[in-house]
């Protein structure tokens, strides 16, 4: 069941179209991430979902009921909460900040006390209840802001870049806690995010946006493993995107010519079709020498072009006549004695190659005019 449905939505600012959404469904109880470059329209879409921006045209349905009047818009607003990038806390105690929305709704003191204490416990900040909001760290302030929203027991929560400007350990802990709370409460969430790791750790569904439009929607696995365009593949971290031409296809296995070499992939394509071969770096295996028996259909000799340290692993650029990018753990890299200009073997399975038909590509999305985010 969808808690929110958007159809043929147009939003304009100063006469300029900043959102053009043909359809978007938010499934009840799921966590949806809106991702895309700066200016993609993610924040504008969140504000429109919350009823804080009125569209120029189109329909929004909340629980299958049209949001087309001040009454229905008010009903949806009472069921939804927005958490902005900045915590926006009042100069008073943490307890009073969390209780603020409940007082606006004229709940009894007993109800306010229970809801506030439950929300404080969810985010592990009960000990901060009497503290002034002015004394909080950035991570504590974000937790208070989230607790204030959850205290209202919303049906839908909308978060706009809620983890910006937090140090990595604070951000990681807050993401883990938020995911646990959302799973426990079954509250539907839509989050505008820009970080791939945050998306993978939080989201069950993903919508990729650019230029105020939706480029692709699906489950997180579908978006990251089966991008439908070069733009989406690049954005979700598909480090290797190779241009090739289909040579043959038989019984679900396709041979693709890339820089004079053959890559085997799963799928049925017509000979002569121009395609992209997409490979995620975690699906490429690096060996110090050409292996003997191996299950992977694609094995190439390569020279290490560059090795770059990336947190807890190395990112390796490999030249096999075309460039592949692989990830390898620090310990494995050191154990194998890998270094720049050395010759290695690289391998990957045919199932690891995601093929995109190039004729189906959209126009260059990255060149579109950015819109207000």
């Amino acid at each position: 069941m969808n808690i929110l449905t958007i159809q043929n939505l147009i939003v304009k600012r100063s006469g300029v179209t900043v959102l053009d959404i043909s359809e978007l469904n938010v499934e009840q109880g799921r966590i949806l991430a809106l991702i895309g470059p700066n200016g993609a329209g993610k924040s504008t879409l969140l504000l429109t979902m919350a009823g804080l921006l009125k569209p120029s045209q189109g329909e929004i349905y909340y629980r299958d009921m049209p949001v087309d009047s001040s009454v229905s818009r008010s009903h949806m607003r009472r069921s939804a909460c927005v958490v902005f990038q900045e915590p926006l806390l009042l100069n008073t105690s943490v307890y009073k900040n969390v209780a603020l929305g409940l007082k606006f709704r004229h709940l009894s003191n007993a109800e306010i006390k229970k809801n506030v204490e439950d929300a404080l416990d969810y985010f592990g900040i009960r000990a901060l209840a009497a503290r002034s909001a002015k004394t909080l760290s950035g991570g504590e302030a974000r937790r208070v802001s989230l607790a204030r929203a959850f205290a209202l027991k919303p049906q839908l929560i909308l978060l706009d870049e809620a983890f910006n400007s937090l140090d990595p350990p604070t951000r990681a802990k807050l993401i883990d806690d938020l995911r646990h709370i959302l799973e426990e409460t079954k509250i539907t969430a839509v989050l505008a995010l820009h970080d791939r790791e945050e998306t993978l750790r939080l989201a069950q569904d993903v919508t990729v946006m650019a230029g105020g439009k939706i480029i692709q929607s699906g489950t997180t696995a579908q978006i990251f493993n089966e991008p439908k365009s070069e733009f989406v593949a690049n954005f979700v971290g598909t480090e290797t995107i190779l241009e090739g031409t289909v040579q043959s296809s038989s019984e679900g296995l396709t041979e693709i010519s890339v820089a004079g070499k053959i890559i085997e992939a799963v799928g049925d394509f017509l000979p002569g079709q121009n395609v992209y071969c997409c490979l995620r770096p975690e699906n490429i295996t690096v060996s110090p020498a050409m292996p003997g028996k191996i299950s992977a259909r694609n094995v190439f000799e390569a020279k290490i072009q560059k090795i770059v340290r990336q947190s807890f692993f190395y990112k390796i650029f490999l030249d096999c006549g075309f460039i592949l990018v692989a990830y390898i753990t620090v310990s494995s890299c050191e154990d194998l004695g890998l270094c720049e200009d050395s010759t290695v073997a690289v391998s990957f399975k045919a199932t690891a190659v995601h093929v995109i038909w190039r004729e189906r590509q959209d126009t260059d999305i990255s060149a579109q005019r950015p819109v207000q985010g």
Side-chain angles (χ1 to χ4, degrees):
M1 177 181 175
N2 296 325
I3 191 171
L4 199 69
T5 298
I6 290 173
Q7 293 179 343
N8 304 316
L9 185 76
I10 300 289
V11 175
K12 295 185 178 182
R13 286 183 172 176
S14 302
V16 177
T17 298
V18 294
L19 270 187
D20 183 355
I21 307 295
S22 58
E23 185 175 11
L24 176 64
N25 296 305
V26 181
E27 189 176 340
Q28 183 171 333
R30 302 276 290 180
I31 305 170
L32 168 66
L34 305 176
I35 65 172
N38 292 335
K42 304 184 295 291
S43 297
T44 301
L45 180 54
L46 279 182
L47 293 173
T48 307
M49 286 178 170
L52 299 175
L53 275 181
K54 188 175 180 180
S56 303
Q57 66 181 64
E59 295 79 37
I60 298 176
Y61 297 89
Y62 179 74
R63 297 192 180 279
D64 296 329
M65 298 296 292
V67 182
D68 56 4
S69 68
S70 58
V71 174
S72 58
R73 196 171 295 112
S74 176
H75 171 68
M76 188 185 73
R77 284 180 183 172
R78 289 181 65 85
S79 300
C81 285
V82 185
V83 179
F84 296 101
Q85 291 185 35
E86 295 301 323
L88 302 175
L89 301 180
L90 300 181
N91 185 17
T92 185
S93 70
V94 166
Y95 185 98
K96 289 182 178 179
N97 268 285
V98 176
L100 186 64
L102 300 169
K103 289 188 175 181
F104 286 153
R105 294 187 179 183
H106 306 293
L107 272 67
S108 68
N109 288 336
E111 288 176 303
I112 291 174
K113 184 174 186 296
K114 183 180 187 311
N115 285 16
V116 170
E117 289 179 350
D118 286 349
L120 292 173
D121 286 339
Y122 269 138
F123 289 94
I125 53 174
R126 185 186 275 251
L128 303 179
R131 283 261 302 271
S132 168
K134 291 177 63 176
T135 68
L136 301 176
S137 66
E140 290 169 341
R142 296 296 171 93
R143 286 177 178 271
V144 173
S145 180
L146 287 164
R148 180 170 58 193
F150 276 83
L152 294 169
K153 300 188 183 302
Q155 299 295 308
L156 172 67
I157 190 161
L158 309 165
L159 295 93
D160 187 11
E161 303 281 8
F163 314 110
N164 275 6
S165 305
L166 296 178
D167 61 81
T170 301
R171 183 170 64 248
K173 182 66 168 65
L174 182 54
I175 288 171
D176 288 344
D177 288 349
L178 179 60
R179 175 66 187 254
H180 175 74
I181 293 164
L182 289 171
E183 289 177 344
E184 183 177 325
T185 60
K186 304 299 182 185
I187 293 173
T188 308
V190 182
L191 308 93
L193 299 173
H194 72 280
D195 185 273
R196 294 173 194 146
E197 184 180 345
E198 291 175 4
T199 303
L200 286 168
R201 291 173 69 173
L202 265 172
Q204 298 162 322
D205 302 310
V206 176
T207 290
V208 184
M209 298 183 65
K213 297 184 177 183
I214 291 175
I215 308 305
Q216 186 177 349
S217 289
T219 65
T220 304
Q222 288 171 339
I223 297 299
F224 277 79
N225 297 323
E226 302 171 18
K228 291 183 177 179
S229 68
E230 183 190 14
F231 172 83
V232 175
N234 267 310
F235 195 81
V236 299
T238 305
E239 299 276 7
T240 299
I241 302 176
L242 305 169
E243 294 186 11
T245 303
V246 175
Q247 297 299 296
S248 65
S249 188
S250 176
E251 297 181 349
L253 194 66
T254 296
E255 291 188 341
I256 301 166
S257 174
V258 176
K261 299 187 177 182
I262 295 296
I263 290 178
E264 294 189 13
V266 171
D268 291 305
F269 293 83
L270 295 175
Q273 283 184 330
N274 295 319
V275 296
Y276 289 111
C277 294
C278 302
L279 281 156
R280 294 195 63 82
E282 61 267 26
N283 293 329
I284 297 173
T285 301
V286 180
S287 308
M290 293 297 285
K293 291 184 178 180
I294 187 170
S295 61
R297 286 186 172 270
N298 298 288
V299 183
F300 301 97
E301 187 175 80
K303 178 174 282 190
I304 296 179
Q305 189 181 71
K306 184 166 58 173
I307 300 177
V308 180
R309 181 69 181 259
Q310 301 261 304
S311 184
F312 301 108
F313 61 90
Y314 283 110
K315 181 176 179 178
I316 302 182
F317 295 81
L318 303 139
D319 186 353
C320 357
F322 47 81
I323 302 300
L324 295 176
V325 179
Y327 291 164
I328 188 168
T329 64
V330 173
S331 59
S332 293
C333 188
E334 293 171 353
D335 290 343
L336 294 173
L338 302 182
C339 60
E340 293 182 2
D341 293 325
S342 62
T343 300
V344 295
V346 296
S347 60
F348 50 91
K349 295 182 178 181
T351 53
V353 185
H354 176 64
V355 182
I356 301 172
W357 185 15
R358 282 164 59 192
E359 281 82 354
R360 289 179 179 172
Q361 296 297 290
D362 298 324
T363 55
D364 185 10
I365 297 167
S366 62
Q368 291 185 14
R369 177 189 54 80
V371 299
Q372 181 69 32

